Amino acid sequence: TVLRESDPFFRFGGEEFVALLRCENEAAAQSVVGRMLDDLRANAVEVQPGVPLTITATIGLAEVRAQEALDAAIARADHALLEGKLHGRDRVVVAQLAPQSD
């Protein structure tokens, strides 16, 4: 509910998803994914009458440079996601930028 119609969202495999966000800067992207986490946390799923299941997510966020292949950016985001899972889950981890080639 927090993504725009122009933000493609795909199942990437298993429990992983990819969203392609067009944002002006990292702060704007972090704002979007922060709203995603808030929305997930606020909308528990009732698995049995009176038994809610709170949904959480760990997000790896990567900026895609103009000349960078999308698969390279996704690999960096996946690495950030794994770092988040190792350090407590239910968080956003920003991937390091790949070195620019001259």
Side-chain angles (χ1 to χ4, degrees):
T1 60
V2 301
L3 295 176
R4 301 165 293 199
E5 285 187 34
S6 62
D7 295 330
F9 186 77
F10 305 97
R11 185 177 190 146
F12 193 64
E15 298 176 350
E16 293 186 2
F17 297 85
V18 170
L20 301 175
L21 310 174
R22 291 183 183 224
C23 297
E24 292 292 320
N25 53 44
E26 182 183 313
Q30 285 196 29
S31 177
V32 172
V33 296
R35 288 193 310 271
M36 289 173 71
L37 288 178
D38 290 344
D39 191 57
L40 284 170
R41 293 174 188 136
N43 289 291
V45 176
E46 192 170 13
V47 293
Q48 293 179 12
V51 181
L53 174 65
T54 302
I55 308 286
T56 63
T58 304
I59 297 175
L61 181 64
E63 176 184 347
V64 182
R65 287 192 171 150
Q67 300 303 316
E68 183 178 21
L70 184 57
D71 61 338
I74 290 173
R76 289 188 299 106
D78 193 46
H79 180 74
L81 167 72
L82 294 174
E83 286 294 314
K85 287 182 175 183
L86 288 172
H87 294 99
R89 300 178 177 255
D90 195 32
R91 64 188 63 228
V92 177
V93 178
V94 179
Q96 298 295 314
L97 283 173
Q100 276 187 308
S101 58
D102 295 323

